[in-house]
Structures are given as structure tokens and as C-alpha cells.
Coordinates of all heavy atoms in Angstrom, one line a residue:
Y21 N 92.8 -213.3 16.1 CA 92.1 -213.3 14.8 C 92.1 -211.8 14.4 O 91.9 -210.9 15.2 CB 90.7 -213.8 14.8 CG 90.6 -215.3 14.8 CD1 90.7 -216.0 16.1 CD2 90.3 -216.1 13.7 CE1 90.6 -217.4 16.1 CE2 90.2 -217.4 13.8 CZ 90.4 -218.1 15.0 OH 90.3 -219.5 15.0
K22 N 92.2 -211.5 13.1 CA 92.0 -210.1 12.6 C 91.3 -210.3 11.3 O 91.8 -210.9 10.3 CB 93.4 -209.4 12.4 CG 93.2 -208.0 11.9 CD 92.5 -207.1 12.9 CE 92.3 -205.6 12.4 NZ 91.6 -204.8 13.3
T23 N 90.2 -209.6 11.2 CA 89.3 -209.5 10.0 C 89.2 -208.1 9.5 O 88.8 -207.2 10.4 CB 88.0 -210.2 10.1 OG1 88.2 -211.6 10.5 CG2 87.2 -210.1 8.9
Y24 N 89.5 -207.8 8.3 CA 89.2 -206.5 7.7 C 87.9 -206.6 6.8 O 87.8 -207.5 6.0 CB 90.4 -206.0 6.9 CG 91.6 -205.7 7.7 CD1 92.7 -206.6 7.7 CD2 91.8 -204.6 8.5 CE1 93.8 -206.4 8.4 CE2 92.9 -204.4 9.2 CZ 93.9 -205.3 9.2 OH 95.1 -205.1 10.0
H25 N 87.1 -205.6 7.0 CA 85.9 -205.6 6.1 C 86.1 -204.7 4.9 O 86.5 -203.5 5.1 CB 84.7 -205.1 7.0 CG 84.4 -205.9 8.2 ND1 84.0 -207.2 8.2 CD2 84.7 -205.6 9.5 CE1 83.9 -207.7 9.4 NE2 84.3 -206.8 10.3
A26 N 85.9 -205.2 3.8 CA 86.0 -204.4 2.5 C 84.8 -204.6 1.7 O 84.0 -205.6 1.9 CB 87.3 -205.0 1.8
V27 N 84.6 -203.7 0.7 CA 83.5 -203.8 -0.2 C 83.4 -205.1 -0.9 O 82.4 -205.7 -1.2 CB 83.5 -202.6 -1.2 CG1 82.4 -202.8 -2.3 CG2 83.5 -201.3 -0.5
S28 N 84.6 -205.7 -1.3 CA 84.7 -206.9 -2.0 C 84.5 -208.1 -1.1 O 84.5 -209.3 -1.6 CB 86.0 -207.0 -2.7 OG 87.1 -206.9 -1.8
G29 N 84.4 -207.9 0.2 CA 84.3 -209.1 1.2 C 85.2 -208.9 2.3 O 86.2 -208.2 2.3
D30 N 85.1 -209.8 3.3 CA 85.9 -209.8 4.4 C 87.3 -210.4 4.1 O 87.4 -211.4 3.3 CB 85.3 -210.6 5.6 CG 84.1 -209.9 6.2 OD1 83.9 -208.7 5.9 OD2 83.4 -210.6 6.9
V31 N 88.3 -209.8 4.7 CA 89.7 -210.3 4.5 C 90.2 -210.8 5.9 O 90.2 -210.0 6.8 CB 90.6 -209.2 4.0 CG1 92.1 -209.7 4.0 CG2 90.2 -208.7 2.7
H32 N 90.5 -212.1 6.0 CA 90.9 -212.7 7.2 C 92.4 -212.7 7.3 O 93.1 -213.6 6.8 CB 90.3 -214.1 7.3 CG 88.8 -214.2 7.2 ND1 88.0 -213.7 8.2 CD2 88.0 -214.6 6.2 CE1 86.7 -213.9 7.9 NE2 86.7 -214.4 6.6
A33 N 93.0 -211.6 7.9 CA 94.4 -211.4 7.9 C 95.1 -212.4 8.8 O 96.2 -212.9 8.6 CB 94.7 -210.0 8.3
L34 N 94.5 -212.6 10.0 CA 95.0 -213.6 11.0 C 94.0 -214.6 11.4 O 92.8 -214.1 11.7 CB 95.6 -212.8 12.2 CG 96.8 -211.9 12.0 CD1 97.1 -211.2 13.3 CD2 98.0 -212.7 11.4
N35 N 94.3 -215.8 11.5 CA 93.3 -216.9 11.7 C 93.7 -217.8 12.9 O 94.1 -218.9 12.8 CB 93.2 -217.7 10.5 CG 92.6 -217.0 9.4 OD1 91.5 -216.5 9.4 ND2 93.4 -216.8 8.3
G36 N 93.6 -217.1 14.2 CA 93.9 -218.0 15.3 C 95.4 -218.1 15.6 O 95.8 -219.3 15.9
V37 N 96.1 -217.1 15.6 CA 97.6 -217.1 15.9 C 97.9 -217.2 17.4 O 97.4 -216.3 18.1 CB 98.3 -215.9 15.3 CG1 99.8 -215.9 15.7 CG2 98.2 -216.0 13.8
S38 N 98.7 -218.2 17.8 CA 99.1 -218.3 19.2 C 100.6 -218.4 19.2 O 101.1 -219.4 18.6 CB 98.4 -219.4 19.9 OG 97.0 -219.2 20.1
I39 N 101.4 -217.4 19.7 CA 102.8 -217.4 19.8 C 103.3 -216.8 21.1 O 102.7 -215.9 21.6 CB 103.4 -216.6 18.6 CG1 102.8 -217.0 17.3 CG2 104.9 -216.7 18.6 CD1 103.3 -216.1 16.2
S40 N 104.4 -217.3 21.6 CA 105.0 -216.7 22.8 C 106.4 -216.3 22.4 O 107.1 -216.9 21.6 CB 105.1 -217.8 23.9 OG 103.8 -218.1 24.4
F41 N 106.9 -215.2 23.1 CA 108.2 -214.6 22.9 C 108.9 -214.5 24.1 O 108.4 -214.0 25.1 CB 108.0 -213.2 22.2 CG 107.3 -213.2 20.9 CD1 106.0 -213.1 20.8 CD2 108.0 -213.3 19.7 CE1 105.3 -213.1 19.6 CE2 107.4 -213.3 18.5 CZ 106.0 -213.2 18.4
E42 N 110.1 -215.1 24.2 CA 110.9 -215.1 25.4 C 111.9 -213.9 25.5 O 112.3 -213.3 24.4 CB 111.8 -216.4 25.4 CG 110.9 -217.7 25.5 CD 111.8 -218.9 25.6 OE1 113.0 -218.7 25.7 OE2 111.3 -220.0 25.6
A43 N 112.1 -213.4 26.6 CA 112.9 -212.3 26.9 C 114.3 -212.5 26.3 O 114.9 -213.5 26.5 CB 113.0 -211.9 28.3
G44 N 114.8 -211.4 25.6 CA 116.2 -211.3 25.2 C 116.6 -212.1 23.9 O 117.7 -212.1 23.5
L45 N 115.6 -212.6 23.2 CA 115.8 -213.3 21.9 C 115.4 -212.5 20.7 O 114.7 -211.5 20.8 CB 115.0 -214.6 21.9 CG 115.4 -215.7 22.9 CD1 114.6 -217.0 22.7 CD2 116.8 -216.0 23.0
F46 N 116.0 -212.8 19.6 CA 115.8 -212.2 18.3 C 114.9 -213.1 17.5 O 115.2 -214.2 17.2 CB 117.1 -211.9 17.6 CG 117.1 -211.5 16.1 CD1 115.9 -211.0 15.6 CD2 118.1 -211.5 15.4 CE1 115.8 -210.6 14.3 CE2 118.1 -211.1 14.0 CZ 116.9 -210.6 13.5
Y47 N 113.7 -212.6 17.2 CA 112.7 -213.4 16.4 C 112.5 -212.7 15.0 O 112.4 -211.5 14.9 CB 111.3 -213.4 17.1 CG 111.2 -214.1 18.4 CD1 111.7 -213.5 19.6 CD2 110.8 -215.4 18.4 CE1 111.6 -214.2 20.8 CE2 110.7 -216.2 19.6 CZ 111.1 -215.6 20.8 OH 111.1 -216.3 22.0
A48 N 112.4 -213.6 14.0 CA 112.1 -213.1 12.7 C 110.7 -213.7 12.3 O 110.5 -214.9 12.5 CB 113.1 -213.6 11.7
I49 N 109.8 -212.8 11.9 CA 108.5 -213.2 11.4 C 108.5 -213.1 9.9 O 108.7 -212.1 9.3 CB 107.4 -212.4 12.0 CG1 107.3 -212.5 13.5 CG2 106.0 -212.8 11.4 CD1 106.3 -211.5 14.2
V50 N 108.4 -214.3 9.2 CA 108.6 -214.3 7.8 C 107.3 -214.8 7.1 O 106.5 -215.5 7.7 CB 109.8 -215.2 7.4 CG1 111.1 -214.7 8.0 CG2 109.5 -216.7 7.9
G51 N 107.2 -214.5 5.8 CA 106.0 -214.9 5.0 C 105.9 -214.1 3.8 O 106.5 -213.1 3.7
R52 N 105.2 -214.6 2.9 CA 105.0 -213.9 1.6 C 104.1 -212.6 1.9 O 103.5 -212.4 2.9 CB 104.2 -214.8 0.6 CG 105.0 -216.0 0.2 CD 104.2 -217.0 -0.6 NE 103.1 -217.6 0.2 CZ 102.2 -218.4 -0.2 NH1 102.3 -218.8 -1.5 NH2 101.3 -218.9 0.6
S53 N 104.2 -211.8 0.9 CA 103.4 -210.5 0.9 C 101.9 -210.9 1.0 O 101.4 -211.7 0.4 CB 103.6 -209.7 -0.3 OG 102.8 -208.5 -0.3
G54 N 101.2 -210.2 2.0 CA 99.8 -210.5 2.3 C 99.6 -211.7 3.2 O 98.4 -212.0 3.4
S55 N 100.6 -212.3 3.8 CA 100.4 -213.4 4.6 C 99.9 -213.1 6.0 O 99.4 -214.0 6.7 CB 101.8 -214.2 4.7 OG 102.8 -213.4 5.3
G56 N 100.0 -211.8 6.4 CA 99.5 -211.4 7.7 C 100.7 -211.1 8.7 O 100.4 -210.7 9.9
K57 N 101.9 -211.1 8.2 CA 103.0 -210.9 9.2 C 103.1 -209.5 9.7 O 103.3 -209.3 10.9 CB 104.4 -211.3 8.5 CG 104.8 -210.6 7.3 CD 106.0 -211.2 6.7 CE 106.6 -210.4 5.5 NZ 105.6 -210.4 4.4
S58 N 102.9 -208.5 8.9 CA 102.9 -207.1 9.4 C 101.7 -206.8 10.3 O 101.7 -206.1 11.3 CB 102.9 -206.1 8.2 OG 104.2 -206.1 7.6
T59 N 100.5 -207.3 9.9 CA 99.3 -207.2 10.8 C 99.6 -207.8 12.1 O 99.3 -207.2 13.2 CB 98.2 -208.0 10.1 OG1 97.8 -207.4 8.9 CG2 96.9 -207.9 11.0
L60 N 100.3 -208.9 12.2 CA 100.6 -209.6 13.5 C 101.6 -208.7 14.3 O 101.3 -208.5 15.5 CB 101.3 -210.9 13.3 CG 101.8 -211.6 14.5 CD1 100.6 -211.9 15.5 CD2 102.5 -213.0 14.2
L61 N 102.6 -208.1 13.7 CA 103.5 -207.2 14.4 C 102.7 -206.0 14.9 O 102.9 -205.6 16.1 CB 104.6 -206.8 13.4 CG 105.6 -205.9 14.1 CD1 107.1 -206.3 13.7 CD2 105.5 -204.4 13.8
H62 N 101.8 -205.4 14.2 CA 101.1 -204.3 14.6 C 100.2 -204.6 15.8 O 100.0 -203.8 16.7 CB 100.3 -203.7 13.5 CG 101.1 -203.0 12.4 ND1 100.6 -202.7 11.2 CD2 102.5 -202.7 12.3 CE1 101.6 -202.2 10.4 NE2 102.7 -202.2 11.1
I63 N 99.6 -205.7 15.8 CA 98.8 -206.2 16.9 C 99.6 -206.5 18.1 O 99.3 -206.1 19.2 CB 97.9 -207.4 16.5 CG1 96.8 -207.0 15.5 CG2 97.3 -208.1 17.7 CD1 96.0 -208.1 15.0
L64 N 100.7 -207.1 18.0 CA 101.6 -207.4 19.1 C 102.1 -206.1 19.7 O 102.3 -206.0 20.9 CB 102.9 -208.2 18.6 CG 102.6 -209.7 18.2 CD1 103.8 -210.3 17.5 CD2 102.1 -210.5 19.4
G65 N 102.3 -205.1 18.9 CA 102.9 -203.8 19.4 C 101.8 -202.9 19.9 O 102.1 -201.7 20.1

């Protein structure tokens, strides 16, 4: 889970994501702008 606190209220960027990545494969994380995909990558990294 990832929640950002803002003046306008909490933003729930990730809501219980569970994913596994196997060695040697190419994964694409896709989604609309604001869906949480870049947040997920930054947390994974």
C-alpha cells in the first residue's frame, strides 16, 4: 500500500498490490496516468 497525504485529503496510490517477477523476463507495467504504475516501480526499486 502507498498513501500520500495532501491538504485536499489522502491519495491512495497503491491498494494492496501483490506481484512476483521471474528472473530473465521482460515485464510491462501499464495503466492510465495516475493509476499508480510509476509509484509501484519506485517502490519496487
